[in-house]
Amino acid sequence: MYFPLWESTILVVTAILILGWLARWSLSGHWDWVVLRWLVLGLLGWIWLRPVFLTTETQILPGTVLILADTSRSMGVRDESSGEESRWERLRRAFGESSDALGRLSASVEVQVWGFSEKGVPLDETEGKIAFPATPEGNQTAIGSAIQEMFLQYSDRRILGMVLASDGAQRSLPPHDLLPQTALARLRRQQIPLYTLTLGKSWVENPREDLAVVDFVAEQRIYLGNPLAMTAAVRVEGFAGKAIPVELWAERNGGGNAEKVAQTAVKTERKREILPVTMAWTPEVAGEYKLWLRIPVQAGETSETNNELAAFVNVTEGGMPVLYLEGTFRPEMSFLRRALDASPEIRMETLRCSGAASSRGVLGERLRQDYAVLLLGDVPAETFTTEEWETLREKVAGGMGLLTIGGLQAYEPGGYAGTALAEVLPMTMETPEKQRFQKKISEHFHWDQPLMMIPTAAGRQSGLLEMDSDSHRTEEIWKSLPVLEGANRWRGWKPGAIVLAEAPRKGREGIPLLLQQTYGEGRVLSLAADSTWRWWLGGFEEVHKRFWRQMILWLAKKETAVDGEIFIHLPQRRFSQEQEVHFQVGAKLSDGETLVNREGTRWNVTLEHPDGSRTEIPLTAGSETMLGTAGKLPAPGDYTLTASVWYQEEKVGETQSRFLVWHEDLEMDNVQAEPQWMESLAVSSGGRAVLPAELDDLWQELLEKRQDLRVEQKVVTPVWDRWYWLATILFLLCLEWFLRRRRGWA
């Protein structure tokens, strides 16, 4: 076969012909010299064509077999061969009996063996003999993470298959809790089969008697007087038909005196079932409570360490009391409640006043309590008596804040003119005419058109409508908010009233939407609209929350105090010894401004250990909170985080949060093997489940599978670039030179 450089070949052939003709023309009768030159030129032309030999060879590419062996403590359970042999001993014996076949496999392919629990560890393999550890000591069984880790380690190899030897029960904690199904997706994409060898017996084959609390969730914070709702799940094995008591114990403020506060019972007719448990308890004293959900140990249980779980709850006396009176169900009511419920310093009570007859006396009764702020929604004047309206006026004059919200039957159309409330409100009302219910909206009382709410100059200066520390950003936010669906029409406002926000009109005076006034010792705000819920649905949820929160705090005269909300956020209040404890610390002034990254702020967080020692935890700044980590805490018990915050050398506040580190024996709390689950993993990947006695056949099958890696390769052997061709050309040139010299030619 030839690979010529075609353009050069034409030149070479032409040159040979010309030189040959000249040699013949000039040296007629001396054919020996002509023949030598022709031989040299012929060899050069042949070499220029680059001839090669082309042959085909068949090769078997190298392959790799991956073996994962479970080295967690549950492999030490003795439920094999009537309890005489542990799962680990059975695994070692099975691989030992098949070592000859495995040795033949390892002689032809690469065999990689790992032991795994939390992480994978390579094990030595020599001629089919694997150096297994003497005893399994891992505290987790991270099957999914082990499969993925080993696959990624050898992803550049041609993997013939992966063999997983385990009891099949995944028992792992973050960050090693990857689901095996997720890891298997990689194997399926690469067409790598998984072969599973299950050691141990399932619960059906080897039933046990055990009781365990597998889940316990309680609200982390409630107000005093409210019932604490809790949900839990209890696993019952082997106690069919027997009533099992479940107890709730509580300890307040770490006092050490726990008492049983509630009890129930569960019962199942099945041999094995997970049952839901719901309990309720109403704390009588504020404080931080540690709760335990316990199942008293029953005779015959295989494990006594899984009979309880703990949780924490903070019971507070409540934030600033706010009363919200509403006449009709409408979207504004729902979203306003959601906005204020998100503020822990505000405790709002909602009361719907459905009719005059049924609601009279309610306002007077409620006003006997000390509310900081009263919100009045779409409530017509006839709902309450003249005496009740007078009581409300006196409360506002005495210092209670009042916020009125627009509606079809609020202000003038609600009949407020002529009542004691009219004296308190900042707008003027003259007509006794009212908007009739379910009648067409009167243009005399309402703006039935889209309105954009924009702060006035007075509103911007007051800070009440500030949505960002940057004034330009605040202006942009207000202009981008969705428009309101109309508002109440006000004819004028009193001399002391201030218009904080309005709807601009081109070439005309703006429509007033928010008025402010002081009445006696109290503050009053009146909002003409009732559709700020559109902001929430329009993607401005945080703006909506901040707007209503700032309104309430201003009315309660809390807008300038250097106090605020200090909080510690833990993703959970119960950690195992293998988990890292991360937390966030936040602080806000009473005006809602966060203190993170603000100059003049000082943070201090300490961690109190179960033995009483303290550790200071460093913090790093996040976007809205400070971030901290206590790492892994090996000692079980109660820990307390204490956070203190100072702003401009003045202490903003301090808060504490307790959490529990408990010894969770993942490996031994539930030791049942999962052979059916292991088989489903194998089948889903294109492999199969094998028995210990079938390992010889599996190794032989994988060895034969290597034949699938047979490939044909074309081998190109050049014949033109050998040294002897150059030597021949040099010899012919030298011979030509010798003949010419002998004959006396130049």
Side-chain angles (χ1 to χ4, degrees), residues 322-323 371-375 392 395-396 398-403 521-525 552 554-557:
V322 175
L323 177 62
Y371 290 102
V373 178
L374 184 140
L375 276 68
L392 174 59
K395 279 285 187 178
V396 174
M400 184 182 75
L402 175 64
L403 172 59
E521 298 295 325
R523 293 178 173 181
V524 180
L525 286 173
I552 298 300
W554 184 85
L555 290 168
K557 303 176 183 178

Side-chain angles (χ1 to χ4, degrees), residues 39-285:
L39 287 174
V40 171
L41 293 173
L43 283 174
L44 287 173
W46 184 72
I47 291 173
W48 205 268
L49 295 175
R50 298 187 300 168
V52 297
F53 287 118
L54 183 62
T55 58
T56 302
E57 293 183 358
T58 301
Q59 290 184 337
I60 299 178
L61 299 178
T64 302
V65 173
L66 307 179
I67 301 175
L68 277 171
D70 186 351
T71 58
S72 61
R73 288 191 299 119
S74 62
M75 293 294 289
V77 173
R78 297 184 179 275
D79 58 357
E80 296 275 353
S81 304
S82 303
E84 298 176 359
E85 188 177 38
S86 70
R87 299 170 182 176
W88 183 247
E89 292 165 346
R90 183 69 184 98
L91 181 148
R92 297 183 64 184
R93 181 162 66 87
F95 276 88
E97 291 173 349
S98 66
S99 60
D100 291 341
L102 182 58
R104 290 191 295 272
L105 176 65
S106 64
S108 300
V109 304
E110 179 187 26
V111 175
Q112 295 289 342
V113 185
W114 280 18
F116 76 94
S117 53
E118 296 96 326
K119 295 182 178 181
V121 178
L123 302 178
D124 291 334
E125 180 273 330
T126 306
E127 297 180 352
K129 296 179 174 59
I130 302 173
F132 289 113
T135 56
E137 298 180 349
N139 292 319
Q140 297 183 43
T141 306
I143 295 176
S145 294
I147 291 175
Q148 176 162 285
E149 183 182 4
M150 196 174 198
F151 169 77
L152 294 177
Q153 182 72 22
Y154 302 102
S155 59
D156 59 339
R157 319 289 175 88
R158 295 180 179 270
I159 303 174
L160 300 175
M162 181 181 289
V163 181
L164 172 65
S166 171
D167 55 22
Q170 169 132 329
R171 310 175 185 93
S172 57
L173 297 170
H176 310 298
D177 58 343
L178 179 71
L179 292 176
Q181 294 89 334
T182 303
L184 280 179
R186 292 177 178 267
L187 301 187
R188 283 196 298 270
R189 284 195 294 269
Q190 299 295 325
Q191 297 183 343
I192 301 172
L194 176 71
Y195 302 93
T196 56
L197 172 64
T198 306
L199 291 307
K201 297 181 179 179
S202 66
W203 188 89
V204 176
E205 299 172 303
N206 186 29
R208 298 167 181 260
E209 290 188 337
D210 190 36
L211 299 169
V213 180
V214 296
D215 193 21
F216 178 38
V217 179
E219 297 180 65
Q220 292 194 22
R221 181 184 180 202
I222 64 169
Y223 290 118
L224 184 64
N226 293 335
L228 172 65
M230 293 154 283
T231 59
V234 173
R235 187 180 67 241
V236 180
E237 298 179 343
F239 290 91
K242 182 178 179 180
I244 305 299
V246 181
E247 303 171 347
L248 178 67
W249 291 70
E251 171 201 82
R252 179 174 171 269
N253 292 340
N257 298 320
E259 60 177 343
K260 184 167 64 175
V261 295
Q263 180 172 329
T264 187
V266 295
K267 184 177 181 181
T268 179
E269 299 300 328
R270 299 182 180 180
K271 295 181 179 179
R272 186 172 190 256
E273 186 176 7
I274 295 179
L275 302 172
V277 177
T278 57
M279 302 181 74
W281 168 60
T282 303
E284 297 180 353
V285 181

Side-chain angles (χ1 to χ4, degrees), residues 634-686:
D638 291 354
Y639 291 79
T640 302
L641 281 169
T642 303
S644 304
V645 184
W646 289 262
Y647 178 58
Q648 295 180 350
E649 302 304 322
E650 187 172 350
K651 190 170 184 178
V652 178
E654 181 177 286
T655 188
Q656 290 185 335
S657 184
R658 279 199 300 168
F659 63 91
L660 171 69
V661 174
W662 95 107
H663 177 66
E664 180 184 18
D665 198 341
L666 286 175
E667 286 298 306
M668 305 308 293
D669 281 350
N670 182 16
V671 296
Q672 307 299 339
E674 298 287 349
Q676 293 83 6
W677 186 71
M678 287 277 279
E679 182 177 5
S680 69
L681 290 180
V683 172
S684 68
S685 69

Side-chain angles (χ1 to χ4, degrees), residues 4-20 37-50:
L5 299 175
W6 296 108
E7 299 81 356
S8 299
T9 301
I10 295 173
L11 294 175
V12 169
V13 172
T14 303
I16 291 172
L17 292 175
I18 294 173
L19 290 174
R37 185 161 290 189
W38 269 102
L39 287 174
V40 171
L41 293 173
L43 283 174
L44 287 173
W46 184 72
I47 291 173
W48 205 268
L49 295 175
R50 298 187 300 168

Side-chain angles (χ1 to χ4, degrees), residues 444-458:
H444 186 71
F445 295 125
H446 303 280
W447 297 99
D448 189 13
Q449 63 188 59
L451 298 173
M452 176 180 287
M453 184 171 176
I454 299 295
T456 62

Side-chain angles (χ1 to χ4, degrees), residues 443 445-449 451 485-490 505 511:
E443 295 181 359
F445 295 125
H446 303 280
W447 297 99
D448 189 13
Q449 63 188 59
L451 298 173
E485 292 184 337
N488 285 75
R489 185 188 291 264
W490 293 330
R505 291 188 294 177
I511 298 173

